[in-house]
Amino acid sequence: MQDEDFVTIRLTVNGGTHRLVVEPRRLLADALREDLGLTGTNLGCEHGVCGSCTVLVDGQSVRSCLMFAVQANGHEVMTVEGLARGGELHPLQQAFWEKQGLQCGFCTPGFLMTAYELLQHNPNPSEEEIRSALSGNICRCTGYQQIIEAVQSASQAVAGASATVPSGTGA
Amino acid sequence: MTTTTNSHTWIGKDIKRREDPDLLTGRAEYTGDVKLPGMLHAAVLRSPYAHARIVRIDTSAAKKVPGVHAVLTGREATVVLDPLPAFCAEPVVEHAIAVDKVRYAGEAVVAVAAESRYIAEDALELVQIEWEPLPPVIDVLEAMKPDAPKVHENLPSNVVYEHVFIFGDVDGDFARADHIMKRRLRWPRATAAPMEPAGAVCKYDPPSGRMEVWSTTNMLNYVGWLIAGSLKLAPHMVNFYPMYTGGSFGSKHVTSKVIAIAGALSKVTGHPVKFMEDRIDNLAANDAQAADRIYDAELAVTKEGKFLSLRLHAIDDYGAYFVFAITGNTNMMSQISGPYTIGSLENGIKAVLTNKNQQGVFRGAGSDVGNWVLERLVDATSDELGIDGIELRRRNFIQPNQFPYKMPTGNVYDSGNYPGVLDMALQHANLDYWRQEQVRARKLGRYIGIGLATCQQRSTYSATEFWFHNPGPATGLTTTAESVRIGIGPTGGITVTMFSPFWGNSPETVVSQVVGEEFGVDPTTVSVAYEGTSQGLPSAGPGGSRMTVMLSGAVQGAAAKVKEKMYKIAAHLLEASLDDMEVREGRVWVKGTDRSLSLTDIGMKAYWNKFDLPADMESGLEGSFTYDHPYTTAPSEDRKDLGVFYPIMGHAAHIPIVEVDIKTGQVKFLKYLAVHDVGTVVNPRSLQGQIRGGIAQGIGVALYEEVRYSPEGQNLTTTMNDYLVPTVAEVPHIEIYHHVTPSPFTAYGVKGGGEGGRMVAPPAVTRAVEDALKPLGVKIDELPMTPEKIVKWVTQAQAKTP
Ligand code: FES
Ligand code: FES
């Protein structure tokens, strides 16, 4: 790799700004996990099917295994690490804990981010709407039911809490 | 060690898992998250051929890529690597990187270590290989023919193992029978496909000859020494760290291949090396594809519907290697006759090698297949004799007063109440309503089906199943011990150390609850730690639904040691009799009085005031306990009795109700009800999660999941677009009830429940679909019941009956 093959980008991640020098082909997932040490985002398939790598870019869910880091240049990224605030679990995380919407936890960051996006747009979704929103995320452990229950139980709490999430978090 | 009490404070309490906050915030460290200074990344070039000789490999261009530190062929790797550990008696040798010949498409041929995974993959593209393709052996029936090309030239044939086990008077029982149900049944090759693929980071230190390993193996304190052997290192020089693991379902027991590849590259480069499978690596080459069997199955039955004898003959496609020998077939002999009083049985096994990725273990470990085959025969009996399935099962159930029950193979079922479980299921199923619905729907051209399966879910193995299929005297009985250490610190805080990693199960929650019970403290105040092999005690980790049983036993044993010392200290300080001591609410009391000491009082004395302790007592307050599960016996020399090898026997009844769209072949669930009996429940929420997740996987193998190979041996299912695991759109709401029949043999009466969902769902769902299609006369003999197959069956049935 020659120096000219690298690109300088600026990413805002969970409210903090980072300057990164990356190859154009570097995946957003690798930039987050390896360059920024945000290993909460997991890679389950690296071909866009499982949803475990889901993060939000400008509030919209994307598969970070299918997006290049350079495409996120100048944009706001939110990862699972951006959910909890000051040691307090986000209501969605709290609800996943209450309902045990996880077992191995590997798919969980992807589900949390997808559910977060859903609740931003639809604070009180029906079971059908939750199933439809989560239909692109695979969990091999739970059988999904307790995930759905967690999203249901979080929905009201999140609707209340989202107003207090500081700007610049991708929220 | 046996205490069965009905009222517990913390055992059975529906508390939140303590594992979850780290997992929910992204803080938990999985193997792929490990980052070390100077760490290199590995990638592997895989064989495009199912069967070929490697004539020549040219890696010179790959080696020149800037950032590449090593390029290793299989032959070159033999300098630092011996073959992988195998648990088979047959001389089937597997190398982490193929040497001279490849035996399945996807087998590793070259491994690269480079400064990034990107560079490593660039380098692989420059490797030149000259191949001599050999005829692939893909179809299992073809592979068995004497003139078939051989997967391993050193073996006499591709039929690597063949034996017929006979227990009791099978011929006599068949001669006595009024009816013989016969089916040829086909169970598909599925695979665990956990969301986290397998991987390892190895760091070799040349001056000292030590290696550190962060990996997805869960058997680090059990078979770590074997993997060390493959790496040509002295076992005590290798330290395996326990890692959070993103699911296994049986596929990560050993994961020696990824460790060997990362370890070899670390030895060669002198850098730490990470090798994580990607999804394609995992689906093509994880060595954990599962049972792939054709059964000729027969059940001998009286005219009253009494089951007399079971005769099974299996052909099992093991793929290219044989790491766990035929454990998938031996495992099911622990519960092969199910919950029924079948007097005799025959189990013929032909294990065949083909050019496919090999079998490993997948949740159920072959007993899943046994349940499906047996319930298919039960359903066939119901249909052919016209006896309702519920009534037929009741006539054949082992009764609650027959336990402990020795079944024909020699295994013993500890306890159970099968009629009770069925009653509980029926009580919630509302079958009258659904039968009316079924009739009503059929008039409208809709096909609703009601399924039922009543199956065993064995738990807590002993290791005889790994070798009793071979002749010879029994040697070295083990039940694969599991250990914990409990320490109470000077301020009274309790720390439990485990020696097996987190896998997606709930080991931290389980040990905290048992500690809470033993000491009368709130489980959330207990600190939990993990320890790797350098400080490790014997532990085999999760597998065979053993963890809750084993950890409960180990914690109870360690707690007893700690309590003994606490009582001595307290009796001494309170000038009371040792026999009068008891612990509750986190204090040691003189029974029947208001005199007590807190754990802090005792901890302080134990650590700081040696001279206040009883004479000759050492300072400190901790206890370790290595728990071997309590009940196993040796197989007889002639193997007419396999001994007790899986005695902690759970049971379940599932009732799914489905609607089948006969035009599209889609199956929709209208209801799914499951009643499980796994003895005393430690944490209901966590158990329900295990059951639901297992049922989802059972629905997967019933309807969608199959590893498919082309006639040339190309794996056609190496992405998650092709290997279809159920999504939220396919898995219904699952209603769960617990029936509790404690085990008389385990701590608190706990039984294992980790595999039950997957072991029971396939026969239940199969029956539901068959029942829906009953008006058309469809009989189901194979899984998965994909939409294409359902449409085909319906079309064929309609062609037969105009
Ligand atoms: S890892 Fe990105 S979708 Fe699976
Ligand atoms: S919790 Fe393990 S994959 Fe979802």
Side-chain angles (χ1 to χ4, degrees), chain A residues 1-2 23 25-31 33-52 68 80-84 87-90 92-109 111-112 127 130-149, chain B residues 15-21 23-28 30 32-33 35 41 66 116-119 122 191-197 244-247 249 274 277-280 283 362-363 502-506 683 685-694 696-697 700 705 718-721 723-735:
Chain A
M1 269 302 134
Q2 305 298 311
E23 281 184 80
R25 64 174 174 172
R26 192 159 187 79
L27 296 175
L28 178 59
D30 290 335
R33 288 176 46 79
E34 293 183 22
D35 303 340
L36 299 177
L38 295 168
T39 54
T41 300
N42 293 323
L43 289 166
C45 72
E46 299 174 68
H47 46 245
V49 183
C50 75
S52 70
F68 295 115
V80 69
E81 287 91 346
L83 281 175
E88 286 271 314
L89 292 182
H90 186 277
L92 252 176
Q93 292 168 313
Q94 191 67 43
F96 268 67
W97 193 15
E98 285 291 342
K99 300 289 176 191
Q100 211 205 293
L102 68 161
Q103 283 173 36
C104 78
F106 200 79
C107 69
T108 310
F111 273 93
L112 286 170
E127 177 173 343
I130 295 171
R131 282 184 181 264
S132 145
L134 300 179
S135 63
N137 289 66
I138 295 174
C139 173
R140 192 61 161 153
C141 295
T142 62
Y144 304 100
Q145 181 171 330
Q146 288 160 242
I147 295 178
I148 296 167
E149 288 167 6
Chain B
I15 61 170
K16 289 187 293 200
R17 291 204 317 173
R18 49 181 302 143
E19 291 84 350
D20 290 350
L23 298 165
L24 285 163
T25 51
R27 280 199 305 265
Y30 299 100
D33 300 341
K35 191 174 181 180
H41 298 259
S116 75
R117 176 99 184 207
Y118 295 78
I119 298 172
D122 288 346
T191 189
M195 290 315 299
E196 177 205 40
Y244 276 77
T245 302
F249 318 113
K274 177 190 284 186
E277 291 178 342
D278 64 17
R279 181 54 57 187
I280 294 172
L283 287 171
F362 183 15
R363 206 175 198 173
F502 167 86
W503 226 23
N505 50 348
S506 314
N683 187 308
R685 194 176 323 199
S686 166
L687 176 62
Q688 282 170 17
Q690 289 285 330
I691 294 171
R692 291 201 173 98
Q697 292 179 347
E705 291 182 37
T718 58
T719 75
M720 298 204 97
N721 269 331
Y723 188 78
L724 297 177
V725 307
T727 73
V728 72
E730 285 86 39
V731 185
H733 182 91
I734 295 162
E735 217 177 305

Side-chain angles (χ1 to χ4, degrees), chain B residues 319-343:
Chain B
Y321 297 96
F322 205 43
V323 62
F324 292 117
I326 60 153
T327 166
N329 288 281
T330 51
N331 187 294
M332 73 178 250
M333 284 198 272
S334 64
Q335 56 166 64
I336 186 167
S337 48
Y340 312 117
T341 52
I342 297 176

Side-chain angles (χ1 to χ4, degrees), chain B residues 498-519:
Chain B
M498 289 187 283
F499 304 92
S500 292
F502 167 86
W503 226 23
N505 50 348
S506 314
E508 301 175 28
T509 307
V510 167
V511 298
S512 309
Q513 282 183 262
V514 181
V515 166
E517 193 68 42
E518 290 289 326
F519 292 96

